Each structure stands twice: as C-alpha cells, then as structure tokens.
Amino acid sequence: MGPIIGMTPDKKAETPGLQERAGLRPAPCGTGTLPEAESAASPRATSLDRGPGDDEELTNLNWLHENLLQNFTLGSEAQPSVSPLFDIEGDGVPPPSFSSSSSSSSSSSLAGREKDSLKSKPPYSFSLLIYMAIEQSPNKCLPVKEIYSWILEHFPYFSSAPTGWKNSVRHNLSLNKCFRKVERSLGKANGKGSLWCVDPEYRPNLIQALKKQHFPSAHAFCTPPASPPRYCASSPPRHLIPQDQSCSLKESDIDAATAMMLLNSAPEQHRMECLYLEFVLSLNYCSRIESVASVRVIDGERSHALCLCLFAAGRAVQDRPMDLSRPEVAVVSSDPKEDHNYSASFQRCVSRCSTSSLSSLDEGYQPASQARRAGSEGFHSDEDSDLAEERGGGGGSAPRPRAKGPPGKKARREAKPEIDEELKEAAGSLLHLAGIRTCLDASRRTAKSKSRKRDQS
DNA sequence: TGACCGTTAAACAATC
DNA sequence: CGATTGTTTAACGGTC
C-alpha cells in the first residue's frame, strides 16, 4: 500500500480493502471517544461563576490565537500542527490560557488538550469535514487523498481511528450533492482520481449545517426569542478589552471557511458571542467583506464579540456611523437583547437586498424549523437556490461555470454597484446594530480600564 | 412509528 | 498486480 501524503507514520493499513482481504476486520469502532464532553460540562456555566476580576479571562482570546489560529497560516495553505478541536473536545473547562496574560503558561495544558483531542472524535460530520478541507485548500478543490490528509492533520483522531473513515469520506463525496467531482486538468498526468469541490449552491447549506452542529440556538439570532437565553441573562456589559489583548490577526486574512472552523472550534462559552462574527462572515461569503482581520470576545457571559472587518479596497462603507475602511476599526457587539433589533434590522436589510447575493442569508439564518427542513432535504438541489443569484449577480446573464469551484473574490467584485451599496448598508447596519466603537475609543477606554486596575492593585 | 440523517461496512468496477 | 478511487447498497443508531 502506498504511503499517503501527509499521513503520520503510525498509520496502519489505510485501505479497508487490505485489512478486509487479509481477513483482518478492524475492531468495532468504539464510541467511548465520542465528544460527549462537548455538552457534558458546560463551560458557560463555568464562565458564569467567574467574578468580575476574571473579565480578562473571558475576553482574552489567547485560546483562539494559540490553539486555533496558529493552526492556520493565513490564506488557505495552512499546515497546522495540532487539532483545532481541543477546546471542543476537551473537558469543558476553559483552558488556562484564558487567564489574563497567561499566553506563555498554557503550553502544558495545550498539550493535554491536544492529547485529548487525539482521542476524541470530531463533532463534525464527514460532509462538514470534507467541506472544511476543501474550503481550506487554495483552489477550493482537493483530491480525495488530500482530503484524507487534511482530516488527518486537523483531526488526529482519525490517525488512530479504524480505517473505515476513508470509506466514509469517499462515500460522502459520492453521495452528497454538496460535493462535485471535477476532472483533473489534462496536463496533470499524475494523480489518481478527480478533484472534489463544494458546489456553491450548497455552500450555504453546509454553513448552516456547520452552524447547526455547534450553534443549536443560532436561530435565536434570527427570530426574537421569547425570553433571553440563559447565557445572556445576567451581567451588564463590561469593558472593552485592551487592544493589545486582541488576538494578533491584524493585517491577516482568514478565509471564511477557516473562520467558521475557528468559530465552531471555540470553547462553548464563546460560541454564541462569535455569532456576530458569524453574521459578518456570512456577509463575507456573499458580499464584499473581504476579510476578517481580528476577532475578539469582549464578554464571555454575554453575546459580546468584537471583530474587525476589512472591506475590499475602495469599498469602504460610507455614510455610516463608522469608518469600516479603516482596518483598525473595532466592532463591538451590543447587549444581547439588541440581538432582536439587530436581527430584525438585519433581516430588513436582507429583504431589501432581495435581488442580491445577500439573500443567501435568508437561508443561512432562517428559523430553525425551516433550516431543519432544508437540512432534511439533503441539501436540496433547488435550482432557485439563493446562491444561484451569485451566478448572474442579480439577473445578470454572465454564465458561471459550474463544478469549477466557488466564485472567487474576483467574481464577487464584479457584482453590481447598487447591490454593493445595499450590501454595504446591510453590513453597516449589522455592524452598527452590533455597536461600533472606533479603535480610538476602544483604546481610550481600555487605557482607562487598565489604569484603574493598576490603581486598584 | 416512520422518515430522515449520519455512519459504517461491504462489494465491485475502474483507474493508476 | 496491488493500491487507490468511485459508486452503490445495506444496515444500524440517533433524532425529530
């Protein structure tokens, strides 16, 4: 059996066929490694127990920086060394790296969590794993072999898992309508098999699935809940975290898929906070936000997230309360209660942009019942699916080649200017509703907070 | 209870 | 020829 690119040496016989033919049936896949811990111990509860002095623990995104972001070199050709999952797979206790300025002291715990992650099955379905692998690839297209490699690299669980998972991957690729087979270019003689891409039509569904997998209450951000969710039931908004505590992603681009991964890999108590970012990322998918350059959680108990969005050059949102063209602009979410307003306003924006690609958000953030329906239809192949709008940029006739990978940024930039304006407005409204503070403001408040703390201590 | 989904296993053909 | 890839079918458990 030939070696598999990127595989660790401890890899046993990869091919089920080899074992099977040799009469070596793999041991039944134990289910004891399933990530029940994800829901077992609620880190959120832990965070709620924190005192005010632990704010920085809640707001510090060292976990993100150290655990996750290091795993993804900017761009798409990441060569992560560890799994992005340890927090999800872990014991549910926020890692010590949450401690203020403890970034250097977390290596041992990181190692422990990484060890845990090696044993835990990823909480993603195979389709999502494949999706993430493909989205991480530079060309948004991968051969099966490299999908294996990606999964192995990011989810070491599979390196020691029974070998059937590859079969499952292939099975998924073949069966799942979300994935499309693309013939390798004729010039590329070597390499067996085809390349696999994500069908852009189904991308929102995959995103939805990704979200549903870890954001079971994500719909709360689309439809006003009857009562505030428990994670936002207490504690007033707090302060902005110091600028220097943000994860250092400035001037770096995280593609949306990576960021989605990061969001879904976040510790429990940070997931809901990150939903704001998720909205922004959704915009990124279908509109003009070119990158998310920084992500910070402001308050672990409430839905306070802080992210920094970079619009494409020359696409700064204007006539907005904030200058989004400035990369240092910080976006601070508001009280979770405003989620309702936010959602409603955002939906209004979306509805106004009915002809734009932003309409994909309608699907992405539809009520859970609809979402489930969409999901139960196996990522329906509705020809009128929202992303189909991307093809013509709102009625345009320019044909978009299918099964050749998702439309790139270039294609997105060719959208109609009026749609851009609406998208900008929608994004602006979103960010405004989330509560905008300029970096200057943030720094000022941060400095105040810092000096206050110093005085107290 | 049934539909649906995800997973796993298996078999087989095609391809490298 | 063996390994890999791709397809198909079936069974099972969990969820809704």
Side-chain angles (χ1 to χ4, degrees):
Chain A
M1 180 185 65
I4 293 195
I5 294 172
M7 288 184 55
T8 53
D10 64 326
K11 224 51 87 273
K12 297 183 285 285
E14 300 297 341
T15 51
L18 188 63
Q19 285 187 337
E20 289 155 14
R21 285 169 204 150
L24 298 174
R25 303 289 310 136
C29 179
T31 55
T33 57
L34 288 171
E36 287 86 359
E38 182 186 358
S39 56
S42 167
R44 192 173 295 138
T46 308
S47 73
L48 287 170
D49 293 338
R50 294 166 185 269
D54 293 323
D55 278 356
E56 290 185 356
E57 297 184 20
L58 294 168
T59 59
N60 192 332
L61 274 201
N62 285 338
W63 64 270
L64 184 65
H65 180 59
E66 295 181 4
N67 301 357
L68 303 174
L69 299 178
Q70 285 179 353
N71 297 340
F72 300 93
T73 56
L74 305 165
S76 304
E77 295 173 288
Q79 294 299 321
S81 56
V82 293
S83 165
L85 283 181
F86 11 86
D87 286 314
I88 281 183
E89 307 301 325
D91 51 15
V93 176
S97 58
F98 276 89
S99 305
S100 57
S101 59
S102 66
S103 59
S104 61
S105 64
S106 58
S107 56
S108 60
S109 60
L110 277 180
R113 289 194 303 275
E114 184 179 358
K115 203 178 286 183
D116 287 344
S117 76
L118 294 175
K119 293 179 286 186
S120 303
K121 189 177 183 180
Y124 304 96
S125 68
F126 279 108
S127 56
L128 292 179
L129 290 176
I130 296 167
Y131 167 67
M132 290 186 284
I134 293 174
E135 286 295 301
Q136 282 277 300
S137 69
N139 301 320
K140 302 289 187 282
C141 263
L142 281 181
V144 166
K145 203 173 185 177
E146 295 194 13
I147 294 175
Y148 294 159
S149 299
W150 187 93
I151 291 174
L152 281 170
E153 285 174 8
H154 292 80
F155 303 95
Y157 159 82
F158 289 104
S159 66
S160 56
T163 57
W165 67 272
K166 288 186 177 180
N167 196 359
S168 298
V169 168
R170 295 195 306 272
H171 168 82
N172 226 290
L173 285 170
S174 295
L175 219 64
N176 202 324
K177 288 182 287 185
C178 303
F179 306 115
R180 289 183 169 275
K181 194 168 62 173
V182 179
E183 295 305 315
R184 286 178 188 260
S185 62
L186 294 176
K188 198 172 181 178
N190 60 341
K192 216 189 281 185
S194 311
L195 298 174
W196 292 89
C197 317
V198 176
D199 190 328
E201 275 187 40
Y202 295 94
R203 187 192 299 264
N205 302 78
L206 286 165
I207 295 171
Q208 174 90 17
L210 196 60
K211 182 172 59 181
K212 276 201 302 183
Q213 196 141 355
H214 283 300
F215 296 114
S217 22
H219 63 275
F221 286 78
C222 297
T223 54
S227 58
R230 65 181 173 92
Y231 53 81
C232 60
S234 63
S235 89
R238 293 182 184 168
H239 56 75
L240 292 166
I241 63 174
Q243 189 75 18
D244 56 11
Q245 285 185 15
S246 64
C247 65
S248 54
L249 279 174
K250 289 170 186 171
E251 301 177 7
S252 61
D253 289 351
I254 312 171
D255 64 74
T258 300
M260 288 300 291
M261 274 195 60
L262 300 181
L263 291 184
N264 284 284
S265 301
E268 185 75 28
Q269 74 268 31
H270 285 297
R271 292 184 193 147
M272 297 311 294
E273 289 96 341
C274 287
L275 278 174
Y276 278 123
L277 173 62
E278 197 175 0
F279 275 107
V280 174
L281 289 171
S282 295
L283 287 171
N284 187 17
Y285 259 98
C286 58
S287 69
R288 312 296 171 262
I289 297 174
E290 290 295 321
S291 63
V292 175
S294 181
V295 182
R296 292 187 293 174
V297 172
I298 299 303
D299 187 313
E301 299 174 18
R302 302 167 67 99
S303 293
H304 289 275
L306 188 153
C307 65
L308 184 149
C309 306
L310 295 178
F311 283 76
R315 290 181 170 276
V317 172
Q318 295 172 355
D319 302 325
R320 289 283 112 200
M322 65 293 187
D323 180 5
L324 288 173
S325 67
R326 293 172 52 196
E328 68 273 21
V329 165
V331 181
V332 185
S333 74
S334 62
D335 187 303
K337 286 180 180 177
E338 293 178 18
D339 287 342
H340 309 170
N341 303 330
Y342 158 75
S343 298
S345 303
F346 186 62
Q347 293 291 344
R348 281 197 297 274
C349 291
V350 167
S351 63
R352 281 211 316 274
C353 301
S354 59
T355 58
S356 77
S357 57
L358 198 62
S359 59
S360 66
L361 284 166
D362 288 330
E363 181 175 2
Y365 295 97
Q366 60 192 299
S369 58
Q370 293 178 25
R372 188 160 54 84
R373 174 172 162 75
S376 69
E377 286 167 359
F379 299 140
H380 61 84
S381 59
D382 182 5
E383 286 302 319
D384 297 328
S385 107
D386 295 313
L387 265 205
E389 315 249 358
E390 268 190 30
R391 296 176 190 160
S397 58
R400 182 174 61 83
R402 290 201 56 184
K404 298 295 179 186
K409 290 179 181 176
K410 186 180 174 184
R412 279 187 264 139
R413 288 191 181 113
E414 291 170 357
K416 289 183 174 181
E418 61 266 27
I419 295 177
D420 274 2
E421 287 305 314
E422 293 193 26
L423 291 172
K424 288 176 194 173
E425 190 176 355
S429 299
L430 160 70
L431 299 176
H432 179 54
L433 285 162
I436 305 302
R437 298 288 185 276
T438 64
C439 183
L440 196 62
D441 199 10
S443 301
R444 220 177 288 141
R445 297 168 62 176
T446 295
K448 275 187 184 175
S449 165
K450 261 188 169 179
S451 61
R452 245 201 316 270
K453 278 190 177 178
R454 260 199 303 273
D455 292 341
Q456 287 174 356
S457 62

